[in-house]
Amino acid sequence: MSVDEMTIFDEFLLKSGLRGASEEAIYKPLTGGVSSDIYRVELPGRLICVKRALAKLKVSADWQAPVSRNVYEWNWISFVAQHFPSAVPKPLAHDASSGVFAMEFLPGDQYPLWKTDLLHGSVDRKAAELTGRRIGQIHSVSARISGLPEKFDSGSNFYALRLEPYLVATAAKHPFVSDRLAELVQRTAETKLALVHGDVSPKNILLGKNGPVFLDAECAWFGDPAFDLAFCLNHLLLKKIVVGKVASELASSFAALTAAYLDQVDWEDRDALEARAASLLPALFLARVDGKSPVEYITDECQRETVRKAAIPLIASPRQKLADVAQAWFP
């Protein structure tokens, strides 16, 4: 941690009343993200977490993103905390001018990371079901609240963080499906139905005793809820590459998450939403090997080619049902 960083965080904690003037703050960096500096802060008798958005993300590609996303993340956490308090760390304080906020720190021994479990071959179908249900509940509540489209008018952020690095960048490498990917970008950008998290993946989901806890809502946007569904299901597909021995359990989790989510869809026609998710899913699947943010656990070119062979036909000829996408990968 640089001296400048420490000064920013120290001043924020003091100004927000989270640290007393005579109290020492001990910072420990938390790993896992590419877009922010995140620290566990040890204060006398208590622990909290602080986060600050970065202008350039920590990936090999040149990936710039507006730091204003910190405001939208804070707003998303605050919204969910109001309606589903167990689904997010408790928000504590925010300073938009410095792009910093503080939230409750959740210890790993009580809140295991879903991604870690999955990569170790521990597949909990119930965790998938609860995740799908909670995402759907958040979407459902948000679709009915006036003022949210204006509060989360962050389409430019969503484009910079999701559509461009995932779908636009992938289209540049795959001319055969570039037109189809461009259509998905346009449709997703123009669909505004519910409050979208934008990064619902096992690396951002803690498994708490009261259900899933969602982290890292920097991509929050009032847009297409099908994106969250497809984005999360994509990770259950990808995990087969490294833990193929539990492919049937991953397929079962895929089905459970899908069914639990769709049960909550009451703001639009379920079939229409599922069709959008089913067409987005293989595009996101391909993007995680050929976009700007490849998953770190797929390192072999043969594995990447396996993903391409599965994804490209499904992009070229989109399916209407998510089960049909799963069947192509989990035969």
Side-chain angles (χ1 to χ4, degrees):
M1 177 185 238
S2 69
V3 173
D4 286 346
E5 274 183 312
M6 186 176 292
T7 300
I8 289 169
F9 284 125
D10 276 343
E11 289 180 353
F12 162 72
L13 293 174
L14 201 58
K15 182 179 172 183
S16 63
L18 292 172
R19 176 177 77 89
S22 62
E23 290 182 325
E24 181 188 7
I26 300 171
Y27 297 91
K28 179 183 177 182
L30 298 174
T31 59
V34 300
S35 59
S36 295
D37 285 326
I38 312 171
Y39 292 92
R40 187 191 78 166
V41 186
E42 185 178 337
L43 293 158
R46 61 203 188 277
L47 290 171
I48 63 172
C49 180
V50 293
K51 183 172 184 179
R52 183 169 75 111
L54 297 171
K56 185 183 185 306
L57 280 61
K58 303 174 211 171
V59 294
S60 57
D62 182 19
W63 184 358
Q64 310 278 337
V67 294
S68 61
R69 64 190 187 274
N70 182 272
V71 175
Y72 298 114
E73 178 172 21
W74 170 258
N75 288 344
W76 188 91
I77 293 172
S78 300
F79 173 82
V80 176
Q82 180 183 351
H83 297 278
F84 306 101
S86 68
V88 286
K90 182 181 179 181
L92 300 175
H94 176 240
D95 179 40
S97 62
S98 59
V100 178
F101 69 79
M103 57 188 166
E104 173 188 17
F105 176 78
L106 301 175
D109 57 342
Q110 296 174 41
Y111 293 87
L113 191 66
W114 193 18
K115 177 181 178 178
T116 303
D117 285 1
L118 290 172
L119 287 176
H120 285 130
S122 175
V123 182
D124 183 350
R125 187 179 187 277
K126 190 68 178 176
E129 180 185 340
L130 292 173
T131 296
R133 181 175 300 129
R134 184 62 86 208
I135 300 165
Q137 289 170 337
I138 293 168
H139 289 167
S140 178
V141 169
S142 71
R144 291 171 174 75
I145 295 181
S146 62
L148 284 187
E150 294 76 27
K151 191 171 187 178
F152 290 91
D153 183 18
S154 47
S156 59
N157 279 15
F158 192 81
Y159 183 86
L161 287 161
R162 284 293 168 264
L163 298 178
E164 193 283 326
Y166 284 73
L167 303 184
V168 176
T170 302
K173 294 184 180 180
H174 292 280
F176 177 67
V177 289
S178 61
D179 287 351
R180 182 67 196 132
L181 291 169
E183 290 169 10
L184 290 172
V185 169
Q186 182 175 357
R187 186 194 73 196
T188 303
E190 292 175 353
T191 303
K192 300 181 186 298
L193 294 168
L195 181 55
V196 175
H197 177 285
D199 199 1
V200 181
S201 71
K203 77 175 176 64
N204 292 325
I205 299 174
L206 305 176
L207 302 179
K209 60 183 183 297
N210 295 316
V213 180
F214 298 96
L215 311 174
D216 205 3
E218 293 187 1
C219 304
W221 161 69
F222 197 90
D224 188 356
F227 187 91
D228 275 349
L229 177 58
F231 199 88
C232 194
L233 289 172
N234 186 32
H235 287 271
L236 295 176
L237 300 182
L238 291 163
K239 297 299 181 291
K240 177 190 165 187
I241 291 173
V242 282
V243 282
K245 65 181 185 293
V246 292
S248 62
E249 289 90 339
L250 289 168
S252 177
S253 290
F254 184 106
L257 194 154
T258 300
Y261 177 87
L262 292 175
D263 277 349
Q264 303 301 317
V265 178
D266 56 5
W267 62 89
E268 65 168 304
D269 179 75
R270 291 182 189 181
D271 289 341
L273 185 146
E274 184 175 8
R276 294 199 311 277
S279 59
L280 267 171
L281 179 53
L284 293 171
F285 192 43
L286 183 62
R288 295 320 296 265
V289 297
D290 286 331
K292 287 187 179 179
S293 182
V295 288
E296 82 287 353
Y297 50 80
I298 297 179
T299 56
D300 182 87
E301 184 59 25
C302 290
Q303 294 174 331
R304 286 191 279 268
E305 194 56 34
T306 299
V307 170
R308 293 177 190 124
K309 284 180 179 177
I312 290 172
L314 294 169
I315 297 169
S317 301
R319 305 299 188 262
Q320 296 293 304
K321 296 293 182 184
L322 287 160
D324 293 336
V325 179
Q327 181 62 31
W329 185 241
F330 296 118

